[in-house]
Amino acid sequence: MLLIRCPWCGLREQAEFSCGGEAHIVRPLKPDELTDEQWADYLFMRDNTKGWQTEQWVHSGGCRRWFNAQRDTVTYKFGISYKHTDPKPEDGD
Amino acid sequence: MNQKNRLPTGGQIDRSQPVSFQFNGRTYGGYTGDTVASALLANDVKLVARSLKYHRPRGIMGSGAEEPSALLQVNRGARSIPNLRATQTEIYDGLKVSSVNCWPSVSLDALSLMNWLSPFLQAGFYYKTFMYPRKGWMFYEKVIRRAAGFGKVSSEPDPDRYDKINAWCDVLVVGGGPTGLAAALGAARAGARVMLADEGQQFGGGFLRTESEDNLQWVSDVLRELEEFSEVRLFKRTTVAGYYDGNFLVLNERLTDHLGNATTRNAREKIWRVRAKQVVLSTGAIERPLVFASNDLPGVMLSSAVSDYINRYAVKPGQNAVIFTNNDTAYRSALHMLDNGVGVGALVDARTEISDPLFDKLAHRGVKMMKGSVVVRAQGKKSVSAVEVMRLSADGKSLEGTPEKFDCDLLAVSGGWSPAVHLHAQSGAKPVFDDEKACFVPGPAFQNEISVGAASGNFSAEKAVSDGYQAGISAAHSAGCQVVDLPVIQEVSDAYTSEYAIRPLWQVPGSGSSDRLKRFVDFQNDTTVKDIKIAVQEGYQSIEHLKRYTLLGFGTDQGKLGNINGMAILSEELGQDLIQTGTTTFRPFYTPVTFGAIAGREIGPTFFDPVRKTAMHDWHVEHGAEFENVGQWKRPWYYPKSGETMDQAVNRECLAVRKQVGVIDASTLGKIEIYGPDAAEFLNYVYTNSWSNLPVGSCRYGLMLGEDGMIMDDGVTAKLGDNHFYMTTTTGGAAAVLSWMERWRQTEWPSMRVYFTSVTDQWAVISIAGPKAREILTKVAPTLDASNDQFPFMTFRDSVVASVEARIFRVSFSGELSYEINVPSDCGKDVWEKVFEAGMEFGITPYGTETMHVLRAEKGFIIVGQDTDGSMTPVDMGMSWIVSKNKDCLGKRSLSRSDCIREDRKQFVGLLTEDPNKVLPEGAQLVELPTDARPTPMIGHVTSSYFSASLGRSIALAVVKGGKSRMGARIHSILMTGESVPVSICNPIFYDREGERQNV
Amino acid sequence: MKKYSVFTLARHALDRRKSWSRAWRDPSPKTSYDVVIVGGGGHGLATAYYLASEHGINNIAVVEKGWIGGGNTGRNTTIVRSNYLWDEAAHLYEKSLVLWESLSQELNFNVMFSQRGVMNLGHNLQDMRDIYRRSNANMLNGIDSEILTPQQISEIVPIMNTSPYARYPVLGASFQRRGGIARHDAVAWGFARAADKLGVDVIQNCEVTGIRRNNGKVEGVETTRGFIGARKVGVVAAGHSSVIAEMAGIRMPIESHPLQALVSEPIKPILHTVVMSNAVHGYISQSDKGELVIGAGVDSYLGYGQRGSFSTIEGNIAAIVELFPIFSRVRMLRHWGGIVDVCPDACPIISKTSVDGLYFNCGWGTGGFKATPGSGWVFAHTIARDEPHHLNAAFGIDRFVSGALINEHGAAGVAH
């Protein structure tokens, strides 16, 4: 039962959010030029970090906006939440 | 009513309210305020239960949540509850309870012969046998299952209901003993919003078991002050059951069980979902039993429980007691016994150095004080009748001297105290071992919590109050409360203050006479010292292996009494420190919580999941529709006329649409408004086809793929204006498509100027289809020129229908001339009725989803999710025409992966059975040739299958490996019945292949 | 080592001087092995056992960072079935089920495999299409399968709410009678004991911290108890597969999610089959001890914490009470989370890797327990022969490049 900080709405209940997984996976601009391996890496391969990772969340039961948040995947503690337009911060805590 | 062991005065019971209740069919008396345990003891009932494995006689050992053995079946019939602890079940007039797990009765239990078989039943015996014959386990298991389990579940649905509530507070105080009360007061005075919860029927905790009137006065003074704060909420009978991330705690409040059958219709229990800024854990400590031979006999009781029964319930749990301890706390109990007419023959203390001021006092009152000694064995058949005492060697490893025997009917034991660190550990923190106090104490906090009082290993009442008060104040301040300069708390005094001194004693060494007797560690699961030794011998040496192999701590008490002793004995066996052994994980809940309470109101036809109904729902009901659940929606499935079967109704509806006209409620389709200058470009990304050149006023069919190239959703989208589109999605996919688009727009293409709004619920959709559709439309929309020239296929018009502003889309999912009339939802039913009225002269027929499916299948139109399953590409579905070669779109790159370009992928085809009346089951698998060989290779399956009234025969859609190049091939379906049905592969469009009917 | 039987049990019962020997030794790691298996769960131990028993490789170590069976082997809801939709999955799980049927005798350790039947409920028309499709596929694959009407369901499980007026009425079910449950811990212990007997070193409290490679070939594993050389390394470390993969410089299509489960207090026998429902999400069986063992969902976020999540179980319990109204007054004892490796297609990876001599077995998602013996059996083959058995040929890591996924997600199979 996490408490999650939406950069627009502040701290809210986990029930209002959905997690979108690892953040900063950029869709290739020219998929046609990729090999199958490179495309598979974008499509399926994940760091699946144990520890601090940056992930996408959406305030689905609130402002419906997506944002990035740092979270420790072991302790479930959150670091900074930030908008997509903000630069990627250093790892949390 | 004879309550032989009831003291004439005192206690917290209400003597003005006598109560009678039944235990195992016999009627007993007690008072309001009694638990079943205290009332049974008052009536001199000692044998209340049988143990799980050996069916040994068991009595009442504790007075609270720690009680391992005295489990009850409470009530009969629909309100029956299994496994309640006698020590926590309050009595009321007419209560019926019985022992569990014994037959025919608790005193004459047939399975007590298991005790004699116990050498065969040691730890893990079932892993070593019951293996033959190979199928034998199914038989053995039946027998074992019957012997296992405790109470019975009621055979009727639960007549009670349950509530849930969300709440927050600055400070949640867990446990309403002196420490918790002081903490709540401190926090309240500091200005905090406070919740104080105690699992019992009364606040006061440890003070209720003291003899001191002053202490009780202190409790009521504090309570009175707390009640004056408007932001303080006091919860009795409320267990803080779980402690989760984000300082979220779950409280289980029991509201009506103690009121008996006179209950109101109020909720039986309530779950409080609480966010607390700060948590004060004043959960107290649990006294440990001692481990010696036959330490499970009824009459062996924790010393704290003895005091509880005497002082709180005014019950003498015995007449002649012996006390066995390794620490100071039992000395107070000795005094309580002596002061209330319980004889104390001997006080056996494992320690040799004793500084307790009560030592001399007790000796003076005639108690035989035996230092450095231990009880090696309890004697007695169905309850304790005597104990054997010997001297303990200096190293604690062996016994000295000869046994001395004392007669007694009560043995009060105290093996020291274990702070109730359960919630602390659940919060994510790790308890640490305190060698001095021989117990686990809270470690560094992981969340915003602090343990205080006995829960932190501080067993002194005076300090507990002042510490609790300070903890409450600082918790309030941490939560942002500002009030400072608070008065000091009213002090409590204790006439017999002593330091807590303990000689750790995890097990009494074996003596000759007691070696063969069982020494229990976990009373509920019958785990003995010998079981632990066997587990260690066999290599089950991790504490988790030990737990799982011997069931230590696996019971409904979750090892509240036995775990620490068990871990220590394991450590001794392995010659390692307790801290190396570690604890098992403390899991929620602290004590069990009723399923019904966790489910709350979210069950039943109305509340299990929201029911979504369209604006025209009532009309459908009035016209006899059968409904189908589609996601949360109720959709009319078909409209049987009286006497009609489903097939007859569907055939009639189908023919009506093909020959005259039908009307269907299409409101459930997802509808999304898309605005913005980049809307068309955005659609180019999410749809496979191009949207750049679509003229305003036109509609186009679009297909969406996941990034893996598989079909995700489809629907028609109209261009309402230069920067304005209106998208429809499948009924089930509406929410997913909206989030999908939002996600891409926000996270990947944030600079795109395009916005989405769900309008599914805003528009009711009345879809008329059939040759007469235009005539109806012209009647209801007189201002509209509905001619084919002015309003051609795949366009839309704004108009007025039945006096309501409407958007009309000329699209078709049936292949017929068809109009989808969109009107604001609140006008939906009215317009529907007007359309229906206008259509009467043309034979308008309402039709449901089944007919819709048949009509679209005749046309070979796919339904995403039925004809596709997340593994089908547009190419597989014969829709490569819709994937634009001139642009990228989501999922497109995946289509050129090696597996996606295989020729022999499953491809979308039509099927015709040789017997035109045979309708294949949907989902049926397809094979080349009928064969009895198993496994046999499958080449595809039927995705849709109907009887087509228009064609006068059955039709089916399917996906078949390489199907597109196998037109006309004869393959087979082998049904679940074994029947083999020959079919031929054909084009999936069965009706009006040129698509002329929708263009008229 | 003594054989377990009712006779040895009796001899020990009657002769108090007799003591049981260790079920498995507690060896220190040798400097090198032919094969090192990383992960002492059921799958890893089974792999070691079958390497020794089927492939004659005995110089094997299983290294486990904690205690054997301490991961998902000891945290799951113990369901065993093989009624999967896709051929590749069905054949693999059926192999496993066949091994389950004689596993107690094979290992001389009672794993209490109870073939009490597994029922998958259908609550809407699409569920029923999927049930027919899957059952029909099972039948043609030689896997036992039946389709039940609500009436037949009521006869087998009379306590289930099959009312047509329920929010999502039960319309039917698939039923695999050979499916059931087993005693989860016993599977790890039984494989450990049997493998140990064949010379396998089961090494607990030994955490792998690195995979040593040279020229694209594996040389051994760095551990908290020193370097252990190995010609081949098989990784079966569910929950932590990505962590180990990273040590070897391999990227995996895996996310680790917490999976929630819970048990009630023990009650007298009341539910005699396994019941699973997708639409009304939850699955339930009753253990031999009497507890209702209930599986809930996977938390949507990635997580390595084995903590229980209340919000997940709230919905799960509501589903169970909806299906079984009489369980409303039963009380929930305990809940917890496991960490499951989830692949995009809900099917495992049992595969060679780009590193010579390094093999991975992971991504079982929520369905790993039932596959334990079969998974070990094919993985042993893959390691011993350096090529997959035909049963796991489709489960290569390369399928994520080619697109040849085995889409059990899209299929009707209930998550688990």
Side-chain angles (χ1 to χ4, degrees):
Chain A
M1 301 301 288
L2 314 172
L3 268 183
I4 301 170
R5 186 175 299 281
C6 167
W8 285 275
C9 309
L11 266 188
R12 298 295 186 96
E13 287 284 331
Q14 177 187 337
E16 297 181 15
F17 296 86
S18 312
C19 184
E22 213 163 304
H24 299 292
I25 297 171
V26 179
R27 186 171 196 272
L29 286 175
K30 295 187 173 161
D32 282 349
E33 295 173 6
L34 301 186
T35 62
D36 281 3
E37 284 76 10
Q38 288 167 325
W39 179 250
D41 195 79
Y42 153 73
L43 198 54
F44 294 127
M45 301 303 164
R46 296 293 177 264
D47 288 346
N48 198 25
T49 311
K50 183 177 184 181
W52 284 100
Q53 80 160 1
T54 311
E55 47 197 26
Q56 294 188 329
W57 286 82
V58 57
H59 195 183
S60 41
C63 66
R64 276 175 48 200
R65 278 193 272 202
W66 285 85
F67 59 91
N68 289 339
Q70 297 172 324
R71 187 175 62 98
D72 186 317
T73 58
V74 180
T75 64
Y76 298 176
K77 291 203 167 163
F78 276 86
I80 298 167
S81 295
Y82 60 99
K83 302 169 186 174
H84 283 98
T85 43
D86 299 339
K88 183 182 180 182
E90 293 297 301
D91 277 355
D93 267 14
Chain B
M1 278 172 285
N2 173 30
Q3 295 175 39
K4 184 181 157 209
N5 294 334
R6 183 75 71 182
L7 292 165
T9 57
Q12 302 290 308
I13 48 168
D14 185 349
R15 287 177 202 258
S16 70
Q17 294 206 49
V19 161
S20 82
F21 70 103
Q22 278 188 14
F23 171 66
N24 287 338
R26 275 192 61 181
T27 302
Y28 296 94
Y31 296 103
T32 296
D34 265 324
T35 62
V36 171
S38 67
L40 287 176
L41 288 168
N43 287 283
D44 208 29
V45 176
K46 289 194 167 160
L47 172 59
V48 296
R50 289 282 174 168
S51 70
L52 176 68
K53 197 155 109 182
Y54 304 130
H55 287 254
R56 287 167 64 98
R58 290 285 162 80
I60 291 156
M61 182 165 275
S63 56
E66 74 286 356
E67 171 59 42
S69 302
L71 303 183
L72 302 172
Q73 186 82 30
V74 175
N75 299 334
R76 311 260 165 85
R79 288 201 154 84
S80 187
I81 317 161
N83 303 353
L84 292 191
R85 272 179 282 279
T87 50
Q88 294 185 300
T89 305
E90 297 171 44
I91 62 166
Y92 53 81
D93 217 29
L95 172 72
K96 292 189 171 85
V97 299
S98 48
S99 303
V100 298
N101 203 35
C102 51
W103 183 86
S105 76
V106 71
S107 56
L108 260 181
D109 184 18
L111 282 173
S112 55
L113 64 92
M114 298 304 264
N115 196 29
W116 302 106
L117 290 176
S118 60
F120 296 89
L121 307 181
Q122 287 157 353
F125 75 96
Y126 30 68
Y127 301 118
K128 296 173 181 153
T129 180
F130 304 129
M131 285 179 272
Y132 293 91
R134 197 165 71 91
K135 295 263 179 192
W137 176 246
M138 295 310 289
F139 165 75
Y140 301 121
E141 182 185 49
K142 267 204 186 91
V143 179
I144 288 171
R145 285 187 70 196
R146 232 173 274 152
F150 293 108
K152 287 184 181 139
V153 59
S154 156
S155 57
E156 296 164 56
D158 191 345
D160 287 318
R161 59 188 182 77
Y162 303 85
D163 271 340
K164 271 192 223 176
I165 188 163
N166 290 302
W168 72 272
C169 59
D170 293 315
V171 180
L172 171 66
V173 180
V174 187
T179 315
L181 288 167
L185 189 63
R189 284 179 177 173
R193 181 180 202 175
V194 178
M195 295 172 85
L196 169 65
D198 191 273
E199 61 180 341
Q201 51 177 306
Q202 216 179 340
F203 292 105
F207 277 3
L208 300 175
R209 75 168 79 101
T210 66
E211 67 292 348
S212 160
E213 292 291 334
D214 290 349
N215 286 349
L216 294 173
Q217 189 57 46
W218 181 92
V219 169
S220 55
D221 289 348
V222 171
L223 280 173
R224 195 172 319 112
E225 186 177 343
L226 283 172
E227 279 161 6
E228 282 165 14
F229 290 96
S230 61
E231 289 299 308
V232 170
R233 188 150 190 160
L234 305 175
F235 294 88
K236 283 191 272 193
R237 300 184 180 89
T238 302
T239 305
V240 179
Y243 195 148
Y244 302 88
D245 293 313
N247 254 24
F248 176 88
L249 295 98
V250 171
L251 279 57
N252 178 211
E253 184 181 18
R254 292 168 296 276
L255 295 161
T256 62
D257 271 6
H258 63 287
L259 299 174
N261 296 327
T263 50
T264 63
R265 294 177 58 211
N266 290 338
R268 179 180 166 228
E269 295 183 16
K270 198 182 272 184
I271 291 284
W272 291 79
R273 308 163 92 254
V274 176
R275 286 274 181 194
K277 287 187 186 164
Q278 299 286 327
V279 175
V280 175
L281 296 173
S282 45
T283 47
I286 297 169
E287 198 172 21
R288 288 191 296 264
L290 285 157
V291 179
F292 52 90
S294 304
N295 58 341
D296 65 325
L297 272 174
V300 178
M301 190 181 280
L302 297 175
S303 80
S304 56
V306 171
S307 293
D308 255 332
Y309 289 116
I310 291 174
N311 290 320
R312 179 170 177 183
Y313 299 103
V315 170
K316 289 193 288 182
Q319 311 303 326
N320 294 299
V322 168
I323 297 168
F324 177 22
T325 186
N326 64 347
N327 69 91
D328 295 297
T329 43
Y331 284 65
R332 284 292 276 278
S333 302
L335 210 56
H336 296 148
M337 290 185 233
L338 289 173
D339 289 346
N340 289 282
V342 180
V344 179
L347 191 154
V348 183
D349 194 329
R351 298 174 299 174
T352 47
E353 307 275 325
I354 298 163
S355 58
D356 195 297
L358 287 179
F359 187 89
D360 294 333
K361 189 166 175 152
L362 292 171
H364 186 71
R365 290 182 68 169
V367 177
K368 180 157 185 187
M369 304 301 283
M370 305 183 71
K371 287 188 193 177
S373 301
V374 291
V375 169
V376 295
R377 174 187 180 185
Q379 294 181 353
K381 277 206 160 136
K382 283 181 184 166
S383 68
V384 64
S385 59
V387 295
E388 282 176 22
V389 177
M390 289 177 76
R391 287 195 60 79
L392 184 67
S393 68
D395 65 359
K397 300 269 199 278
S398 58
L399 299 170
E400 293 166 353
T402 50
E404 192 172 347
K405 189 171 158 184
F406 295 88
D407 288 340
C408 62
D409 63 353
L410 174 66
L411 174 60
V413 294
S414 178
W417 290 80
S418 301
V421 295
H422 305 68
L423 292 173
H424 166 76
Q426 282 182 30
S427 80
K430 280 227 172 305
V432 294
F433 195 74
D434 182 325
D435 280 319
E436 187 93 349
K437 290 171 177 159
C439 60
F440 281 93
V441 296
F446 178 74
Q447 300 197 42
N448 294 330
E449 55 91 11
I450 182 170
S451 298
V452 66
S456 69
N458 172 8
F459 302 121
S460 138
E462 279 176 13
K463 246 178 121 3
V465 166
S466 53
D467 288 357
Y469 187 64
Q470 280 312 317
I473 293 170
S474 32
H477 288 160
S478 304
C481 301
Q482 307 283 337
V483 186
V484 289
D485 289 333
L486 303 174
V488 291
I489 191 167
Q490 177 191 345
E491 285 188 5
V492 291
S493 59
D494 193 332
Y496 310 109
T497 302
S498 67
E499 287 299 307
Y500 178 72
I502 181 169
R503 176 182 186 184
L505 178 66
W506 308 113
Q507 58 171 318
V508 172
S511 69
S513 69
S514 65
D515 258 1
R516 285 172 165 272
L517 298 170
K518 294 189 180 62
R519 296 181 291 159
F520 287 91
V521 181
D522 183 310
F523 296 90
Q524 187 174 101
N525 285 318
D526 279 347
T527 307
T528 63
V529 172
K530 180 153 190 212
D531 289 326
I532 296 177
K533 288 184 173 167
I534 289 174
V536 169
Q537 272 171 21
E538 295 190 44
Y540 300 92
Q541 297 177 347
S542 149
I543 183 66
E544 288 283 356
H545 281 158
L546 181 79
K547 168 181 170 181
R548 287 150 187 268
Y549 198 63
T550 66
L551 298 184
L552 172 74
F554 243 123
T556 64
D557 56 347
Q558 299 223 56
K560 290 191 180 67
L561 286 192
N563 269 5
I564 306 292
N565 284 338
M567 291 167 200
I569 293 168
L570 173 66
S571 307
E572 283 179 354
E573 288 293 323
L574 295 174
Q576 67 190 23
D577 290 340
L578 234 158
I579 200 70
Q580 268 177 281
T581 303
T583 63
T584 52
T585 313
F586 291 87
R587 299 279 183 202
F589 297 133
Y590 178 66
T591 52
V593 177
T594 307
F595 274 20
I598 299 167
R601 301 278 185 99
E602 288 144 38
I603 51 171
T606 317
F607 295 125
F608 178 70
D609 203 29
V611 178
R612 294 177 83 182
K613 296 173 180 171
T614 71
M616 293 82 95
H617 185 83
D618 292 346
W619 190 95
H620 306 316
V621 174
E622 285 158 24
H623 289 75
E626 292 289 331
F627 288 88
E628 177 191 2
N629 285 314
V630 182
Q632 292 171 326
W633 289 101
K634 293 280 179 192
R635 295 198 73 179
W637 190 12
Y638 60 99
Y639 297 80
K641 292 191 168 168
S642 83
E644 255 183 354
T645 64
M646 177 173 170
D647 287 346
Q648 288 167 336
V650 170
N651 289 347
R652 172 179 54 74
E653 291 172 14
C654 285
L655 289 172
V657 175
R658 293 275 181 239
K659 296 201 163 122
Q660 291 104 27
V661 64
V663 58
I664 182 170
D665 180 352
S667 307
T668 62
L669 282 188
K671 299 179 271 298
I672 301 167
E673 298 249 3
I674 303 173
Y675 304 88
D678 297 324
E681 193 195 340
F682 184 83
L683 290 180
N684 279 338
Y685 270 111
V686 296
Y687 276 137
T688 58
N689 47 350
S690 172
W691 294 77
S692 308
N693 304 321
L694 186 70
V696 173
S698 288
C699 309
R700 184 168 282 172
Y701 174 77
L703 194 63
M704 277 182 207
L705 310 182
E707 272 285 62
D708 60 356
M710 304 302 152
I711 293 174
M712 188 183 105
D713 205 87
D714 69 346
V716 169
T717 292
K719 187 163 179 180
L720 303 185
D722 279 335
N723 297 336
H724 188 187
F725 290 82
Y726 182 81
M727 174 186 276
T728 61
T729 73
T730 59
T731 298
V737 168
L738 179 65
S739 352
W740 173 250
M741 295 197 297
E742 280 286 4
R743 182 173 189 180
W744 284 106
R745 210 284 296 165
Q746 292 184 32
T747 64
E748 202 66 34
W749 306 309
S751 58
M752 267 199 192
R753 291 162 301 166
V754 56
Y755 308 95
F756 317 100
T757 306
S758 167
V759 292
T760 303
D761 295 311
Q762 276 67 23
W763 295 96
V765 183
I766 300 150
S767 177
I768 49 176
K772 305 284 186 193
R774 182 174 291 122
E775 282 152 87
I776 297 178
L777 183 64
T778 308
K779 267 181 84 181
V780 293
T783 60
L784 176 73
D785 181 350
S787 68
N788 199 32
D789 288 347
Q790 289 305 308
F791 190 1
F793 182 53
M794 291 310 269
T795 61
F796 91 94
R797 296 289 178 266
D798 282 322
S799 187
V800 175
V801 175
S803 314
V804 175
E805 298 272 349
R807 283 180 188 162
I808 307 167
F809 298 86
R810 190 175 163 193
V811 295
S812 181
F813 195 41
S814 57
E816 296 297 326
L817 171 66
S818 173
Y819 300 94
E820 292 194 350
I821 305 167
N822 287 233
V823 293
S825 279
D826 52 354
C827 307
K829 192 175 173 221
D830 183 52
V831 176
W832 173 278
E833 281 168 348
K834 298 266 167 51
V835 168
F836 196 75
E837 210 176 288
M840 293 288 263
E841 62 174 298
F842 308 105
I844 193 168
T845 300
Y847 68 98
T849 51
E850 188 68 16
T851 292
M852 177 188 84
H853 280 202
V854 179
L855 296 172
R856 64 87 203 177
E858 289 171 344
K859 287 292 298 172
F861 295 148
I862 63 164
I863 288 189
V864 173
Q866 176 172 342
D867 298 295
T868 67
D869 64 0
S871 70
M872 303 302 289
T873 69
V875 184
D876 300 338
M877 299 309 283
M879 298 167 85
S880 16
W881 54 269
I882 205 173
V883 184
S884 167
K885 298 201 168 37
N886 305 320
K887 65 171 186 78
D888 186 25
C889 70
L890 296 178
K892 187 180 175 192
R893 174 63 183 83
S894 290
L895 298 178
S896 57
R897 293 175 300 172
S898 61
D899 193 69
C900 293
I901 54 175
R902 276 189 297 118
E903 296 281 305
D904 61 343
R905 284 178 67 86
K906 284 187 183 174
Q907 292 159 349
F908 187 59
V909 295
L911 292 181
L912 289 172
T913 50
E914 286 185 2
D915 171 0
N917 289 316
K918 179 80 189 174
V919 180
L920 291 168
E922 288 174 334
Q925 295 287 339
L926 301 165
V927 299
E928 289 291 349
L929 292 167
T931 168
D932 293 333
R934 300 287 179 268
T936 186
M938 287 160 264
I939 57 172
H941 73 278
V942 175
T943 59
S944 298
S945 173
Y946 310 95
F947 184 82
S948 162
S950 309
L951 299 169
R953 62 152 302 138
S954 68
I955 56 167
L957 300 172
V959 290
V960 175
K961 284 183 186 167
K964 266 187 279 189
S965 55
R966 299 191 62 193
M967 288 301 145
R970 188 173 190 264
I971 57 172
H972 295 80
S973 176
I974 304 177
L975 308 185
M976 288 303 285
T977 52
E979 181 192 359
S980 162
V981 183
V983 296
S984 62
I985 300 175
C986 64
N987 186 303
I989 307 174
F990 298 93
Y991 188 81
D992 184 26
R993 195 160 295 168
E994 289 68 37
E996 283 169 2
R997 298 178 67 90
Q998 64 199 11
N999 276 316
V1000 295
Chain C
M1 186 187 302
K2 277 174 211 144
K3 192 172 154 68
Y4 290 159
S5 73
V6 68
F7 306 108
T8 47
L9 202 61
R11 275 199 291 279
H12 279 82
L14 300 173
D15 184 350
R16 293 175 51 84
R17 287 162 305 176
K18 273 194 180 334
S19 64
W20 292 101
S21 53
R22 291 188 66 106
W24 59 87
R25 294 164 296 122
D26 183 21
S28 293
K30 295 193 274 186
T31 53
S32 78
Y33 293 89
D34 290 342
V35 180
V36 167
I37 302 294
V38 180
H43 289 233
L45 293 162
T47 305
Y49 171 75
Y50 289 117
L51 274 170
S53 66
E54 302 265 322
H55 302 280
I57 302 172
N58 303 86
N59 187 23
I60 304 172
V62 177
V63 294
E64 163 58 45
K65 73 171 175 177
W67 38 282
I68 61 166
N72 293 331
T73 300
R75 291 171 201 280
N76 64 84
T77 48
T78 83
I79 297 171
V80 177
R81 63 186 177 95
S82 67
N83 55 353
Y84 277 67
L85 171 66
W86 298 91
D87 292 347
E88 299 85 349
H91 292 311
L92 179 62
Y93 285 102
E94 177 61 15
K95 169 71 187 177
S96 193
L97 181 51
V98 168
L99 290 171
W100 273 111
E101 286 176 317
S102 55
L103 197 59
S104 293
Q105 296 75 34
E106 167 93 20
L107 301 180
N108 180 231
F109 200 98
N110 189 355
V111 298
M112 303 181 197
F113 179 42
S114 167
Q115 294 182 282
R116 51 178 72 179
V118 175
M119 212 179 261
N120 295 70
L121 303 179
H123 296 270
N124 58 46
L125 299 177
Q126 188 57 41
D127 279 357
M128 293 314 296
R129 287 178 199 114
D130 292 336
I131 281 176
Y132 198 97
R133 180 182 173 193
R134 182 165 46 81
S135 301
N136 200 190
N138 294 153
M139 180 187 104
L140 295 171
N141 270 325
I143 296 167
D144 73 304
S145 181
E146 294 163 50
I147 297 176
L148 305 178
T149 62
Q151 173 74 31
Q152 291 169 309
I153 294 170
S154 287
E155 282 160 19
I156 298 171
V157 188
I159 60 172
M160 196 193 298
N161 174 15
T162 51
S163 157
Y165 305 107
R167 177 69 184 89
Y168 293 115
V170 174
L171 303 181
S174 71
F175 192 42
Q176 185 179 26
R177 289 184 195 268
R178 286 164 63 238
I181 57 171
R183 173 84 182 95
H184 56 6
D185 295 320
V187 178
W189 302 337
F191 271 118
R193 177 168 169 271
D196 176 274
K197 195 173 174 186
L198 297 174
V200 173
D201 283 356
V202 178
I203 303 164
Q204 303 186 89
N205 300 309
C206 179
E207 182 170 358
V208 169
T209 54
I211 307 266
R212 194 183 286 180
R213 291 155 289 152
N214 189 10
N215 275 334
K217 187 173 180 345
V218 78
E219 292 194 324
V221 292
E222 312 280 356
T223 78
T224 48
R225 295 171 71 171
F227 175 75
I228 304 174
R231 292 200 299 118
K232 293 178 175 183
V233 173
V235 179
V236 210
H240 287 78
S241 305
S242 301
V243 177
I244 310 270
E246 198 193 349
M247 294 174 192
I250 299 171
R251 266 163 77 73
M252 282 284 174
I254 280 178
E255 285 192 324
S256 298
H257 288 270
L259 173 67
Q260 301 293 326
L262 60 103
V263 293
S264 75
E265 293 188 306
I267 47 177
K268 287 291 175 195
I270 184 78
L271 178 64
H272 314 295
T273 59
V274 182
V275 176
M276 313 176 71
S277 167
N278 207 6
V280 180
H281 193 93
Y283 36 92
I284 181 168
S285 65
Q286 188 175 17
S287 74
D288 288 341
K289 200 165 169 285
E291 301 147 325
L292 299 173
V293 182
I294 295 170
V298 174
D299 293 336
S300 64
Y301 47 85
L302 194 154
Y304 286 91
Q306 291 171 327
R307 290 204 287 289
S309 152
F310 188 69
S311 52
T312 307
I313 62 141
E314 277 179 296
N316 186 225
I317 288 285
I320 295 300
V321 174
E322 177 73 4
L323 273 179
F324 299 95
I326 68 166
F327 289 161
S328 176
R329 296 175 89 84
V330 173
R331 299 190 305 164
M332 181 175 140
L333 181 58
R334 187 168 63 234
H335 72 108
W336 66 92
I339 313 167
V340 297
D341 291 347
V342 181
C343 269
D345 59 353
C347 277
I349 295 166
I350 314 167
S351 180
K352 297 168 64 169
T353 65
S354 52
V355 178
D356 210 13
L358 180 65
Y359 308 84
F360 263 81
N361 182 345
C362 59
W364 288 92
T366 58
F369 177 72
K370 66 179 77 67
T372 305
S375 161
W377 195 88
V378 296
F379 197 41
H381 181 103
T382 308
I383 294 171
R385 308 278 180 87
D386 194 35
E387 63 181 17
H389 187 269
H390 71 80
L391 283 174
N392 65 313
F395 295 89
I397 195 166
D398 48 344
R399 73 179 187 271
F400 296 96
V401 174
S402 70
L405 304 195
I406 307 153
N407 196 21
E408 286 290 339
H409 255 330
V414 181
H416 174 264

